Amino acid sequence: MNVWRLQTNTESDTGEKSAHYCIQNGIIAMGWSLKDAEMVDAAARQERDTIVTFDDYTAFWVKYDPYGTGGKVDGSIKRLYWDVQEGDLVWIRTDGIYYLGRVTADSRWQFVCTPEAQHWDAGNQVTHVEWVKVGGEGDVAGAVSTALIHGHTLQRIHKAGVAEYSQMC
């Protein structure tokens, strides 16, 4: 079991943070959503709409390089697909409140390009995540709160005791 932190600083089209979308929909989600506004090429938009597997998503990046990354998929997206496993725990924070999610046996990665997912810039998702509200800054271990300060969108929390603490929440 790994403990992760998901930085949900991605803003919706209206400036709201995507953590609420994750909690309400029982998902872990992040950007690189290939939004309609960013897909000016009609052929690219049409091909984007056929993405089903992670291989499809990767092939799209190699072919179109939509964000000028040299055709490389973001490392956090790769971690979301390859490394997040059943039983893993994921911390997020929104409006000063910490939530802990558990990846279930039914969880799977999916790419979603619906208008709602585009609004939240949350196209890359892991489904069937069970979220619980833990509380404010004083209710979580310092190693959890400091893990949400800097770093990649999705990264492991390696600090001693975090796994044990998280399992008790």
Side-chain angles (χ1 to χ4, degrees):
M1 183 223 31
N2 290 302
V3 179
W4 302 87
R5 59 70 127 185
L6 176 64
Q7 191 71 277
T8 55
N9 283 339
T10 300
E11 293 185 354
S12 71
D13 296 336
T14 56
E16 301 164 281
K17 304 295 183 201
S18 61
H20 298 289
Y21 177 73
C22 290
I23 295 162
Q24 291 169 354
N25 291 286
I27 59 174
I28 302 168
M30 64 181 73
W32 302 90
S33 300
L34 310 174
K35 294 180 176 185
D36 284 345
E38 298 160 343
M39 298 291 105
V40 294
D41 182 320
R45 192 175 309 121
Q46 186 175 10
E47 190 169 336
R48 180 222 40 210
D49 293 346
T50 67
I51 293 172
V52 174
T53 68
F54 192 72
D55 287 340
D56 296 341
Y57 185 78
T58 301
F60 184 92
W61 276 85
V62 169
K63 182 174 180 178
Y64 291 103
D65 192 18
Y67 300 113
T69 63
K72 296 179 183 175
V73 174
D74 177 70
S76 289
I77 301 298
K78 290 178 184 177
R79 282 186 289 282
L80 183 68
Y81 179 77
W82 290 109
D83 298 339
V84 174
Q85 302 292 320
E86 176 187 350
D88 283 0
L89 301 174
V90 183
W91 286 97
I92 62 172
R93 177 183 62 213
T94 185
D95 301 327
I97 304 298
Y98 291 79
Y99 295 82
L100 183 63
R102 185 178 65 81
V103 180
T104 69
D106 295 327
S107 296
R108 64 179 176 80
W109 176 89
Q110 65 182 8
F111 177 74
V112 179
C113 62
T114 63
E116 184 181 30
Q118 287 187 37
H119 168 77
W120 291 103
D121 192 15
N124 285 279
Q125 303 179 0
V126 167
T127 64
H128 297 91
V129 174
E130 297 172 346
W131 290 104
V132 295
K133 181 179 177 179
V134 176
E137 188 91 18
D139 298 313
V140 299
V144 171
S145 62
T146 58
L148 285 155
I149 295 173
H150 292 292
H152 298 286
T153 303
L154 178 69
Q155 67 184 42
R156 283 188 183 108
I157 303 176
H158 293 287
K159 295 190 178 179
V162 169
E164 295 79 8
Y165 169 77
S166 298
Q167 289 175 342
M168 293 187 305
C169 289

